[in-house]
Amino acid sequence: MKQETTFANAKFANPFMNASGVHCMSIKDLQDLEKSDAGAYITKSCTLEKREGNPSPRYVDLALGSINSMGLPNLGFRYYLDYVLEVQQNQDTPIFFSIAGMSPEENLEMLDNIQKSAFSGITELNLSCPNVPGKPQLAYDFQATEQLLEKVFAFFKKPLGVKLPPYFDLAHFDQMAEILNKFPLTYVNSVNSVGNALYIDTEEETVVIKPKNGFGGLGGQYIKPTALANVRAFYTRLKPEIQIIGTGGIETGQDAFEHLLCGATMLQLGTALHKEGPEIFPRIIRELQEIMDKKGYKSIDEFRGKLKSL
Ligand code: RRO
């Protein structure tokens, strides 16, 4: 298999998966992904207690992407933990389990539960939800991020990745990479949506989503160059044991190829999966394969991370 990918010491048929938040809220959604051609899939970021999230409209597809302020709606930690414990019994590839506590303490409590459970998959700690009013994205606070990771790795021994927001300054890449390199992280997932964008309906002279007066996370084509920069910046700064998941603006085989060139190992689809549904997976696998065949690449390892400078 030409797109076979080794990630977190496990083998996946291809690098494609959903981004947490898209098509993964309910067991029905997750079963659709399970049956699809996706190489892996991840659950909706959860909190200890279930949450309704923000008022609708809270997700809008745009010509070049999407804007959302979902506000972390989810069915609660236990719902997803019970689900992943069940599916891991009948599935060879590890499942990804996303958590996004409203406080460091809540994250620590969920991680403690995961550590003590029989869960054998991969945990993603979301440090970058932009949409909960009054709760800043944790990973923009470098000191708080380091303090949390110190507490986490004092007891957490299972594979763990962090979902990061986009950064926009080389000094911030340097500082965050220096912090992340201190810990036995399995991976870094770059990027979450670009927080607090504003999209306007010119005709109506209004915003397009209700929460936060229209401010929401931007995804899709708008953010691909920012996502690629973040993948590349971390790939070139992190120790090689920390793998990268590339997320942001992946809609075609070409987008996937570019993320892989920058150094990503797994690839997550958010906006494009929301628009197209799980049928996107066979299409994008085919498109990536066409590019690889044309260029004569027999495996992704032959070009991963090998972006050339001028
Ligand atoms: O639920 C959301 O509003 C949300 C989350 Br948790 C996230 O991590 N990223 C995003 O764009 N939306």
Side-chain angles (χ1 to χ4, degrees):
M1 284 286 285
K2 286 185 174 177
Q3 292 184 25
E4 192 171 89
T5 295
T6 302
F7 184 82
N9 297 319
K11 280 207 183 341
F12 298 87
N14 65 70
F16 296 101
M17 55 188 293
N18 65 309
S20 179
V22 179
H23 213 104
C24 59
M25 181 87 82
S26 67
I27 288 178
K28 160 79 177 66
D29 291 337
L30 290 158
Q31 285 171 340
D32 289 347
L33 296 176
E34 204 180 318
K35 280 183 278 180
S36 78
D37 286 354
Y41 57 101
I42 184 167
T43 56
K44 167 68 184 168
S45 293
C46 68
T47 47
L48 270 175
E49 303 302 328
K50 74 173 183 197
R51 284 172 55 84
E52 290 294 329
N54 293 336
S56 295
R58 57 188 189 178
Y59 187 114
V60 171
D61 281 317
L62 310 170
L64 299 177
S66 65
I67 188 166
N68 90 84
S69 184
M70 301 297 289
L72 200 38
N74 73 88
L75 296 166
F77 175 77
R78 198 69 235 180
Y79 177 90
Y80 300 103
L81 182 62
D82 287 346
Y83 169 75
V84 295
L85 290 174
E86 171 85 28
V87 292
Q88 73 182 17
Q89 295 182 23
N90 313 310
Q91 194 173 296
D92 295 338
T93 54
I95 185 162
F96 288 68
F97 183 16
S98 173
I99 63 164
M102 306 283 280
S103 64
E105 293 69 34
E106 189 177 352
N107 280 320
L108 290 167
E109 189 173 338
M110 287 189 280
L111 288 170
D112 184 50
N113 278 313
I114 294 171
Q115 178 63 35
K116 288 175 177 153
S117 77
F119 180 58
S120 59
I122 299 163
T123 305
E124 180 165 295
L125 174 60
N126 182 353
L127 300 177
S128 49
C129 175
N131 297 330
V132 179
K135 297 277 176 193
Q137 291 161 85
L138 190 83
Y140 282 142
D141 182 336
F142 291 74
Q143 205 188 351
T145 298
E146 181 165 4
Q147 281 169 0
L148 175 60
L149 292 177
E150 267 165 15
K151 288 182 184 154
V152 167
F153 285 109
F155 69 89
F156 198 78
K157 305 295 171 204
K158 296 182 178 183
L160 182 78
V162 285
K163 176 91 173 261
L164 297 179
Y167 299 100
F168 302 93
D169 193 294
L170 295 182
H172 291 164
F173 291 133
D174 291 341
Q175 288 164 17
M176 185 45 75
E178 193 183 329
I179 290 168
L180 299 171
N181 276 332
K182 292 181 188 171
F183 299 101
L185 276 166
T186 299
Y187 72 91
V188 159
N189 184 348
S190 285
V191 296
N192 208 319
S193 56
V194 173
N196 295 296
L198 189 60
Y199 190 84
I200 293 173
D201 180 332
T202 324
E203 191 65 32
E204 298 294 329
E205 304 179 16
T206 63
V207 300
V208 298
I209 53 172
K210 188 176 173 74
K212 294 168 64 183
N213 295 320
F215 284 62
L218 193 67
Q221 285 179 43
Y222 287 117
I223 76 163
K224 186 178 77 171
T226 294
L228 292 173
N230 277 260
V231 168
R232 189 66 183 162
F234 284 117
Y235 183 76
T236 53
R237 285 167 176 76
L238 293 175
K239 53 187 179 183
E241 306 90 277
I242 304 181
Q243 291 179 292
I244 316 267
I245 297 183
T247 307
I250 305 179
E251 191 173 322
T252 65
Q254 182 184 330
D255 302 325
F257 184 78
E258 291 172 8
H259 267 264
L260 294 166
L261 262 188
C262 286
T265 297
M266 298 296 282
L267 303 170
Q268 293 187 349
L269 312 183
T271 300
L273 171 62
H274 187 270
K275 281 186 187 163
E276 203 171 323
E279 274 308 296
I280 194 171
F281 291 110
R283 174 180 66 75
I284 202 163
I285 290 166
R286 191 176 65 244
E287 289 176 2
L288 175 61
Q289 197 56 52
E290 280 164 13
I291 294 172
M292 288 172 61
D293 289 347
K294 205 165 142 200
K295 287 174 175 280
Y297 289 127
K298 294 190 177 55
S299 75
I300 292 173
D301 290 339
E302 288 178 19
F303 62 92
R304 175 181 299 105
K306 301 215 169 118
L307 178 68
K308 292 177 229 167
S309 296
L310 297 181

